Amino acid sequence: MNRYRPISERRLDWNEVELPLLAEEAAVHARACMACGLPFCHGMGCPLANVIPETNAAVAAGDEALAYALLSRTDLFPEFTSRICPALCEGSCTRGMDGEAPVSIRALERHISDTAWEKGWVKPVLPAERVGKRVAVVGSGPAGLAVAEGLNRAGVSVTVYERDRFPGGLLRYGIPDFKLDKTIVARRIALMEAEGIRFVTGTEVGRDVSPEWLAKRHDAVIWAVGAGAPRDLSVPGRDLGGIHFALDFLRGQNRVCSGESSVLPISAEGRKVLVIGGGDTGSDCVGTAIRQGARAITQIEILPRPPEERSASTPWPRWPWRLRTSSSHEEGCERLWNVESLAFEGVNGQVSGVRVRDVVWKLSAFGRPLSFASVPNSERVLSADLVLLAMGFVGVPQSLLDKLPRQEGKALVKGSAPEVASFACGDCVSGPSLVVRALADARRMVADVLAYLRG
């Protein structure tokens, strides 16, 4: 269940759009979980293995303090995941067996987390003792923060290196404020600093300091640099002005919202915007363009329109393939499916539209897309003077790969190498994924690094 502020109100500001649950509402939703005897949400749905039934039982009993104690044992940053996780757990909720709406697990976790911060239950977790080991973490996104927190709690002295002005990675620079208020990120960073974690910002490893310099001064180096290389669209006209990667667009607005910059490098104000890519990043571009004052917004996707209800190709308890409409889509956006982009067209060096054509998909027996063919005589031009490429990410940027320690001629982006004490975790290992999976991978990496440090 997602509840949002009125569209007429939220379109005009950058405040979080989602409304939190009231205590009475939270108890009602939590009680809906109590009839479950087989918690697939915990065992299959949640990468962090949050003890969801026990946590919800505490909420149902009005004991949010116990609920937070249980939740924070497995989720280091529930204030983040409860806002931006797609709630894989809800896809595995046993209510889905009968086609019912799942328990509102994510909303309940936000209620627990927000209550904990409001009541002052979230305090610095200091290690019992320092073990005399020093570790450098390169990157301060979700994986970097989680591995730093885990190691610090074990008594390791941790320094986090971040190339941007403020820590947080995509939490701060990639996700719009209307989904994640950046004061929430800053609050967590301040808590980590109080725990003894050191942040060195505005410092790019490989430019300002070398990997070798880090290795000499630390007992281990952990790379958590993400997988931010965007997927490009190499078609004629790509060099026209007015065509930008989605993350560049989102970063610019986030920097303005935080006061880090006073000028938008890319603005949608008064422009006809075309977003290519139908995922979450594209949706974030839609909401951002609306708030900047775009004249019109269209979002296109080459894949077919998902079904309104759970597809037979993803039966319970798998994550359901179905149509998802975000708060940004509700605010005003035309969405088109089965559309292939062929070329950009322009006037005087600036993009004026995208030549597209319709495609038809061959589907599996369960309705999942397998391959597509173009529809004859369907070519047309979609007018646009600002195009945002939101087609996902393809991995670690080559500029970062070139800086990673190397072994047998290959950059180390997975596992560990004792001879150089270098490790990597998060999206730079797995490829582009979810914040909750990055946190789970960081937890595994903490165990690996501690085992290495202990010899």
Side-chain angles (χ1 to χ4, degrees), residues 116-140:
W117 282 95
E118 291 166 7
K119 299 289 187 180
W121 300 335
V122 187
K123 299 182 182 298
V125 179
L126 302 175
E129 62 177 353
R130 292 291 176 183
V131 298
K133 298 293 185 178
R134 296 187 301 173
V135 167
V137 177
V138 184
S140 67

Side-chain angles (χ1 to χ4, degrees), residues 35-46:
C36 171
L38 195 63
F40 274 76
C41 58
H42 157 74
M44 179 175 181
C46 180

Side-chain angles (χ1 to χ4, degrees), residues 54-102:
E54 291 84 352
T55 303
N56 287 347
V59 175
D63 193 347
E64 273 81 359
L66 174 59
Y68 181 73
L70 291 169
L71 176 60
S72 59
R73 285 175 59 186
T74 51
D75 188 348
L76 291 174
F77 310 128
E79 67 271 28
F80 301 153
T81 55
S82 64
R83 283 169 165 80
I84 59 177
C85 181
L88 304 180
C89 51
E90 294 183 14
S92 297
C93 177
T94 54
R95 290 164 65 95
M97 293 176 67
D98 300 319
E100 296 182 81

Side-chain angles (χ1 to χ4, degrees), residues 80-81 84-86 142-143 170-171 175 427 433-440:
F80 301 153
T81 55
I84 59 177
C85 181
L170 288 180
L171 295 171
I175 298 171
D427 285 4
S433 189
L434 302 174
V435 167
V436 69
R437 291 198 178 111
L439 299 183

